[in-house]
Amino acid sequence: MKFSFFTGLVSRPRPGRVNWPVSPARFDQTAAEQALERFLHLFDLADRLGFDWLATPEHHALPFLVGDPLLIAAMLSRRGYRARIALLGLLVGGRDPALLAENVAAVDQLTGGNAVYGLFRGFANEQITFDVAPEDFRERQEEAVALLLRAWEEPEPFAWQGRHFARRSVSSWPRPVQNMSKAVLVTANSPDSARFAARRGLSVGIGHKTVEAAARLAALYREEAARAGWSPTPENILYHADVYVAAPGVDAWAEAERLGLGRLPNSLDGETPGRRRIRRALGETEPDAGRAVDRVMRFCGDPEAVTAQIAQARDQIGFGVLNGVFRAPGPAYEACVSSMTLFAEQVIPRLRESSGEA
Amino acid sequence: MRFAYFSGTMYRRAVLGAEWPHPPETHSHETAQTVRARLERQARVADAAGFDWIALSELHARAFLSPNPIVMAANIAEWGLKAGVMLPILQVAGRDLAGLAEDLGALGHLLKGKLRFGLCSGQPSDAIVWGLSRADAEERVIEAAHFLARAWSEPRPFAWSGRHFERRQVAVWPQPYPGVSARPFICAVSVAEAEAAGRGGFGLGIEQIPLEAAERLADAYREAAEAAGRRTSPEDVYYLCETHVARDDAEAAAHLERYRLGILGNPLAGQTRRMRALRAALESDDAEDFNLLRFHGGPEAVAEGLQGAARRIGFGLVVSIFQGLRVPAEINEQSIHLFGSQVIPALAKASGRTGDAAS
C-alpha cells in the first residue's frame, strides 16, 4: 500500500465574502510569502517522514499561489526528494492537450521519471473557468487523454482531428522518461469515467466520495476491466480523502471542525441533473446527510481510530494508494504538521503491517 | 544597460536534420541529461559573470528539452542564482491567456520578483503548430498584452470578449509579485506591432532583423508612444542578438572559421506579399540573408559593436545568444565569461555608469 501526502499551495486571502471566483483584491503578499515557505516545509517534512508520493492539485480562480502543478513539480524536482511527485491532477479537459503533452514530458525529464500524473476533470467551477459546457467536459477529457497518450508514444509527427481538438501536426518534444500509460491515472468519479478508464487499461483516482460510493465505483471499474481482458490490482486504484489525526485523548472531530478543516461539500450533493444521474447510477437516492465536516473528512481520530477507518475503507474499496488530504490553512498549520507526523509515524506502519508489507 | 544570457534548451543539433517538425524518435534520455547539465553549467557561468537574467526560448515541435520556458523557469527558481529569469519570446498564439497570467504571476513569486517577459507570435513554423495565419498570430500578441495588463490590475473578476480570446469570467490568482511589471515586451516583427506596443505602454522587443529596419521599428514604437502621451526609456527596448567573444579579434575569427559560426538568415527576407510590404514599411531594401552572428570579436570589438547598435536603435537591454550549440563548452564558457567581465563593464562605462553594470 502506498501513502500520498496531498496539499495545495494556497495563499490565504484577506477576509471577505466566501464566494467563487475569489476576488483578486483579496490577495495578500505577506500571506503569499508565508504560504510558499510553509508549503515547501510541509513537502520536505513529508518526504523525510516516508510518504511515498507528494501530491498537489490544479485549481483556478481560487486563492492558490501556484495553481498549476507543473510549475510546482518543476520546482520540487530540484529538491532531491525520495518520494514521487504527484500532480493530482491536471485538468486536461480545459487545456490544450498537445501543449500539455510537451509540458508533462518536460517535467518527467526534470524529475527523472519520478512523478505520477492525474489526468482529471476538476470541480464543477472549473468548467466555468475554462468556458466549457458541462455536457462537453467529460468528452473533452477523454479525447485529451487519448491525444496525450498518443503524443507521448508516437515516434513520428502525426495529425489529430478529433471532436474537440484539431492539430495538423503534433510532434511532442521532449520524450517522457516513463512509459506514460503506467504513470498516469484518470478520474473514476462517475460510472462513465470508471468505464472509460477500465477500457483504456488506466489506473484511477476516486475522490471526495463516501466509502460506499467509492466502493461501488471501484467495483464497476474492476468489472469493466475484466470485460476488457485485464485485472486491476489495488495499486491501480487511488482513494482521495481528507485525513486528520490527533493525539489520543483529543476529540479529533471537534478539533477538525474548530480548525475549519473539511468543509468542502460531498461531490454527490446538489440537485443538478448530472449529480442526480450519478447518484441514481450508484444506487443513491439522497445526498449524504450529516455534519458538513463529515462530508469530506473521512478519516479522523487518534492513530488507532484512523488506522481502523482506513483499513476498513481499503477492504471495502480495494484501493492500494491513499491520497491523504492534509489541509493546512493558516491557523491549522501546526495542527497539520502534527497530524501528518502522527499519520506517518503511527498509522502508516500499522497499515503496512496489516497488509503484510511490514 | 542590462544584459540577459539567452539559453536555448535545444537538445542536440548534430542528430537532427533540416526537417521540421523534428521527429520525437530522435530523442534519447542520456543525451537529454547531458545537454541539460551543460545548459545549467553555462547558466551558472553567466550568473557569476554578472548577467541580470537567464533568458529562455520557446519553440514547439522542435528538439527542445523545455518547449515551455515557464516550466523551466520554475525549475531555475531553485538553482539559487543571483540572476533572474527573462522570457523574451513567450508565444501566446495557442495559449489560454488566463492560464498564462496565472503561471506568470506564480512564477514571479517563485523567483521573488526577478522576472521579465515578452510576448511574440513565434516562428513561421509555430503558426503551423497552432494552426494560425501569421496575421492572426500577430494580432493575438497585442490582445494578449492588453489582457495580461488588465488581469493583473483588476481587483474584481471580469469578463473578456476580444477578437481572439473570450472568457466569461477571469479572476487571476496570484496577483503579481511586487515589482514584476504587468506590461510585457512585445517582440515585434511588424510596424503595426511596434506601434501597438508604443500606444499600449508596453515594452518593445527586437529580434535579429537588419539594423536599419530595427532602427525604424524602434522609431515607430517611440513615435506611437509619444503620440499616446507615454514616455519611453532605453530599458523599454530589448535587442536579441547572436554574440561570440574571444580573447581577441584574431581568436574570434579563428573560431568563426573553424566552427562555421553564425547562421545565414534574415527575418525580413522572402518575396511573399507580406514580407515585401513589411520591408516597404520599414524602408528596408535588405532582403538578402546575412550572418546573424553580428557581434563577434575580442571584448573591445563586441562592446563597440553593441554600443553602436544601441545608439542607433536605442535599446537598453541586450539579450545575448551565445554559440553553445556550435563551439566546445570551454570556448563558449570563455565567451560568456569575457562578455560578463569585459563587455558589460565597457558598456556600463560608455553609458556613464560606474560600478556593477548589471546592478
Side-chain angles (χ1 to χ4, degrees):
Chain A
M1 188 169 176
K2 287 194 164 46
F3 298 91
S4 174
F5 170 81
F6 177 99
T7 202
L9 211 177
V10 178
S11 175
R12 199 170 169 75
R14 290 198 180 97
R17 199 156 62 90
V18 177
N19 60 356
W20 184 89
V22 179
S23 171
R26 292 178 61 196
F27 178 76
D28 180 342
Q29 176 62 25
T30 307
E33 283 169 27
Q34 185 187 56
L36 181 58
E37 188 184 317
R38 287 181 164 188
F39 178 83
L40 292 174
H41 175 68
L42 289 177
F43 269 50
D44 289 349
L45 177 63
D47 188 55
R48 283 200 305 276
L49 287 170
F51 282 87
D52 299 289
W53 295 3
L54 307 178
T56 196
E58 170 174 350
H59 287 301
H60 303 277
L62 285 168
F64 277 72
L65 184 64
V66 183
D68 185 345
L70 288 162
L71 269 62
I72 295 177
M75 176 182 65
L76 295 182
S77 69
R78 297 288 298 191
R79 297 179 82 86
Y81 291 148
R82 171 202 48 78
R84 292 180 93 180
I85 296 166
L87 296 80
L88 301 177
L90 295 157
L91 307 183
V92 298
R95 286 173 172 249
D96 177 319
L99 199 57
L100 184 60
E102 292 177 345
N103 292 342
V104 169
V107 164
D108 209 52
Q109 284 282 334
L110 290 170
T111 60
N114 194 31
V116 288
Y117 309 92
L119 309 180
F120 293 170
R121 284 212 292 276
F123 298 144
N125 60 302
E126 247 82 60
Q127 296 158 6
I128 298 171
T129 298
F130 293 119
D131 270 352
V132 176
E135 291 301 313
D136 284 348
F137 217 49
R138 182 173 57 80
E139 233 182 44
R140 282 176 67 94
Q141 186 238 8
E142 291 180 2
E143 187 180 327
V145 169
L147 201 166
L148 282 163
L149 291 171
R150 185 159 176 207
W152 289 322
E153 287 163 9
E154 278 279 349
E156 293 288 336
F158 64 95
W160 182 272
Q161 190 67 47
R163 184 177 163 86
H164 299 283
F165 304 103
R167 273 295 182 90
R168 57 176 160 160
S169 177
V170 179
S171 178
S172 195
W173 275 84
R175 302 296 270 179
V177 174
Q178 305 178 79
N179 173 350
M180 294 301 274
S181 64
K182 305 292 178 206
V184 302
L185 55 157
V186 296
T187 178
N189 263 7
S190 72
D192 284 338
S193 55
R195 288 189 193 100
F196 170 77
R199 282 198 302 272
R200 300 285 313 213
L202 298 172
S203 295
V204 294
I206 303 172
H208 298 303
K209 292 276 182 282
T210 60
V211 171
E212 295 70 28
R216 284 194 286 275
L217 287 163
L220 177 65
Y221 169 65
R222 281 188 287 266
E223 280 165 27
E224 287 292 325
R227 266 191 213 113
W230 71 289
S231 304
T233 66
E235 294 236 333
N236 291 117
I237 302 173
L238 171 145
Y239 183 53
H240 170 94
D242 277 52
V243 179
Y244 184 70
V245 189
V250 173
D251 183 344
W253 286 100
E255 187 71 1
E257 196 144 24
R258 186 182 66 76
L259 292 167
L261 303 174
R263 290 200 183 281
L264 289 174
N266 186 308
S267 65
L268 294 187
D269 279 1
E271 289 305 316
T272 64
R275 288 177 185 192
R276 280 199 295 272
R277 200 164 55 235
I278 293 174
R279 283 204 302 272
R280 264 202 311 279
L282 291 171
E284 291 186 359
T285 51
E286 297 298 326
D288 277 0
R291 293 181 300 168
V293 74
D294 291 340
R295 295 179 176 179
V296 64
M297 182 62 74
R298 301 277 169 237
F299 307 123
C300 186
D302 64 18
E304 197 176 331
V306 170
T307 304
Q309 291 161 11
I310 294 174
Q312 190 180 6
R314 179 188 61 193
D315 294 344
Q316 277 183 260
I317 301 169
F319 62 81
V321 184
L322 175 67
N323 191 37
V325 183
F326 290 84
R327 295 183 197 274
Y333 175 73
E334 296 301 336
C336 175
V337 170
S338 167
S339 169
M340 67 192 279
T341 305
L342 285 168
F343 185 85
E345 291 177 349
Q346 298 190 40
V347 177
I348 291 178
R350 292 176 191 186
L351 285 165
R352 288 203 201 282
E353 194 179 350
S354 71
S355 60
E357 296 171 55
Chain B
M1 198 176 284
R2 304 186 80 185
F3 303 88
Y5 161 77
F6 188 90
S7 165
T9 55
M10 189 153 196
Y11 173 70
R12 194 175 66 170
R13 190 178 292 275
V15 301
L16 302 163
E19 66 182 308
W20 182 89
H22 291 144
E25 67 178 347
T26 48
H27 182 270
S28 111
H29 299 313
E30 292 71 28
T31 308
Q33 277 181 326
T34 309
V35 172
R36 203 169 48 243
R38 193 185 66 207
L39 289 168
E40 181 172 341
R41 196 176 62 240
Q42 296 187 348
R44 290 190 183 284
V45 172
D47 185 47
F51 282 82
D52 298 275
W53 299 284
I54 307 301
L56 300 168
S57 64
E58 172 164 0
L59 285 167
H60 298 275
R62 288 176 186 273
F64 275 73
L65 295 176
S66 182
N68 178 358
I70 296 176
V71 170
M72 194 65 196
N75 186 261
I76 290 177
E78 285 279 303
W79 290 11
L81 305 180
K82 290 194 302 290
V85 171
M86 184 176 188
L87 311 173
I89 47 172
L90 279 173
Q91 292 183 23
V92 297
R95 273 201 161 102
D96 158 38
L97 293 188
L100 180 63
E102 285 179 351
D103 283 355
L104 288 170
L107 195 55
H109 287 272
L110 299 182
L111 290 162
K112 306 281 184 236
K114 293 187 289 183
L115 173 68
R116 297 298 303 268
F117 60 93
L119 309 178
C120 79
S121 50
Q123 303 282 332
S125 59
D126 293 309
I128 296 172
V129 168
W130 304 118
L132 292 172
S133 71
R134 287 292 304 169
D136 272 358
E138 288 174 27
E139 272 187 5
R140 281 171 182 243
V141 171
I142 308 300
E143 189 177 329
H146 284 281
F147 178 94
L148 287 173
R150 182 155 181 209
W152 280 4
S153 57
E154 276 280 348
R156 284 191 294 275
F158 64 95
W160 181 270
S161 190
R163 185 176 163 87
H164 299 283
F165 301 100
E166 255 186 293
R167 267 298 177 89
R168 60 176 157 158
Q169 194 153 259
V170 180
V172 168
W173 279 81
Q175 288 293 285
Y177 192 92
V180 174
S181 172
R183 299 206 164 263
F185 294 100
I186 289 176
C187 186
V189 291
S190 72
V191 176
E193 277 186 301
E195 288 174 342
R199 274 196 306 275
F202 305 111
L204 175 71
I206 300 175
E207 185 184 0
Q208 303 274 25
I209 61 175
L211 286 179
E212 301 73 21
E215 200 175 343
R216 293 200 176 86
L217 213 52
D219 286 346
Y221 166 73
R222 281 186 284 264
E223 282 163 21
E226 197 176 326
R230 299 182 187 277
R231 292 167 65 94
T232 60
S233 77
E235 293 227 346
D236 292 320
V237 182
Y238 79 69
Y239 186 55
L240 191 148
C241 55
E242 301 236 0
T243 50
H244 180 69
V245 192
R247 280 173 290 201
D248 53 41
D249 292 351
E251 187 182 61
H255 290 161
L256 254 69
E257 189 177 335
R258 179 164 180 194
Y259 301 110
R260 299 181 180 187
L261 296 185
I263 320 168
L264 282 182
N266 177 356
L268 296 185
Q271 291 305 329
T272 61
R273 189 186 304 170
R274 182 175 171 280
M275 295 316 292
R276 284 199 296 271
L278 181 54
R279 284 199 296 274
L282 292 170
E283 298 173 37
S284 170
D285 295 329
D286 194 350
E288 297 298 314
D289 285 344
F290 57 88
N291 190 345
L292 294 175
L293 174 54
R294 192 183 292 279
F295 304 104
H296 54 82
E300 203 174 316
V302 171
E304 272 174 24
L306 280 168
Q307 200 184 337
R311 266 198 300 270
R312 290 179 66 175
I313 301 171
F315 58 81
L317 306 179
V318 178
V319 183
S320 184
I321 305 174
F322 286 84
Q323 309 301 305
L325 293 166
R326 300 181 184 84
V327 299
E330 61 274 16
I331 291 179
N332 196 47
E333 285 165 23
Q334 173 187 273
S335 174
I336 298 166
H337 174 72
L338 287 168
F339 195 103
S341 61
Q342 298 191 39
V343 177
I344 290 178
L347 287 166
K349 193 174 170 192
S351 63
R353 286 173 58 185
T354 54
D356 180 10
S359 63

